Amino acid sequence: MFQDFIQVAGVKDQAEADSLVRCGVRFLGFPLRLPVHKADLGEQEAAAVIRTLKPPARGVLITYLDRADDVMEFCDSLGVSIVQLHGDIAVDELRHLKERRPALTVVKSLVVGLHPAAELLATIEGTAPHVDAYITDTFDPQTGASGATGKTHDWKVSRQLVLQSPRPVILAGGLNPDNVREAILAVRPAGVDAHTGLEDASGRKSEAKVRTFVREAQEAFRLTG
């Protein structure tokens, strides 16, 4: 699943989801129940959009929930089988989640800038048996946001995580059509994720930007493969 993985997060409505699928995006992220950012659409609306997705397109829940039972209940209500966990979820909760739902694909965030590299590596060591992949992201000290900041981080840190993680690592944080190729060549991640870097002045995803992002990412994956 995570080989040459391309995700676009922050789906705002059905029209935007349809546009992303037309552009070749296969993983559509729905950030919900967030401590900082406002959700792009309501939970019922998100579930309705997710139900319209046909393989190979899939919906991904992006959330800061930190209790396994809450995560399972929310995934069930949305109809997703992939969840991206950005909160400080305990190892015991991750273990419980995978024991109860082994078919649920669990992606754990690694927020560069919020924690030093050594702590991120320790997180990998402690959680790898209970997750399927990791996603890096950027901490913004001005807003307190971990993700959807529009800012890049030190890609050398992400490269170190890729080299030492036994699980696939997805690169996120400030990616856009102009830098995604350089980022993939520098970090060699299993996949990439973009959000605000693909939006136009109205705050909606630009189809031209998305198409360029997908094309540039696919070419970089070909070069690193």
Side-chain angles (χ1 to χ4, degrees):
M1 176 189 296
F2 295 106
Q3 185 67 32
D4 301 348
F5 177 100
I6 299 174
Q7 175 174 281
V8 174
V11 179
K12 290 182 168 56
D13 53 29
Q14 186 68 60
E16 190 162 278
D18 293 342
S19 172
L20 294 175
V21 173
R22 284 197 303 272
C23 293
V25 177
R26 295 294 174 258
F27 296 92
L28 283 66
F30 294 80
L32 296 164
R33 301 190 187 178
L34 315 172
V36 177
H37 297 294
K38 180 181 177 181
D40 297 291
L41 74 174
E43 294 176 12
Q44 290 185 341
E45 292 83 357
V49 173
I50 290 166
R51 283 195 296 269
T52 70
L53 298 177
K54 296 179 175 58
R58 301 178 68 179
V60 180
L61 168 59
I62 301 171
T63 186
Y64 286 76
L65 293 175
D66 58 7
R67 293 185 64 253
D69 290 343
D70 294 339
V71 172
M72 288 185 286
E73 180 182 355
F74 201 16
C75 287
D76 290 344
S77 68
L78 292 175
V80 299
S81 58
I82 309 172
V83 62
Q84 199 168 295
L85 300 173
H86 281 260
D88 290 326
I89 187 168
V91 175
D92 285 345
E93 293 293 329
L94 288 171
R95 181 184 299 110
H96 179 56
L97 183 60
K98 289 302 287 184
E99 286 174 351
R100 291 283 306 279
R101 295 294 173 84
L104 181 66
T105 299
V106 177
V107 181
K108 173 77 176 69
S109 73
L110 299 169
V111 185
V112 180
L114 179 61
H115 305 293
E119 188 172 332
L120 296 175
L121 290 169
T123 296
I124 289 175
E125 183 177 357
T127 60
H130 315 297
V131 305
D132 300 285
Y134 295 99
I135 184 166
T136 68
D137 219 332
T138 304
F139 175 68
D140 185 351
Q142 293 182 330
T143 65
S146 298
T149 64
K151 298 181 179 181
T152 59
H153 55 259
D154 186 350
W155 289 339
K156 291 180 182 177
V157 175
S158 286
R159 178 58 182 158
Q160 186 180 7
L161 300 176
V162 168
L163 287 171
Q164 298 194 39
S165 173
R167 302 295 190 191
V169 176
I170 302 160
L171 177 66
L175 297 183
N176 58 58
D178 296 325
N179 67 11
V180 66
R181 181 189 293 234
E182 178 187 1
I184 292 172
L185 294 178
V187 177
R188 306 294 178 99
V192 290
D193 166 277
H195 188 164
T196 56
L198 301 180
E199 295 175 350
D200 58 23
S202 72
R204 296 184 64 82
K205 304 296 184 298
S206 160
E207 194 159 308
K209 287 185 177 182
V210 174
R211 288 189 184 278
T212 303
F213 181 85
V214 171
R215 183 176 66 248
E216 288 290 301
Q218 289 175 337
E219 176 60 16
F221 285 135
R222 186 188 67 79
L223 292 172
T224 56

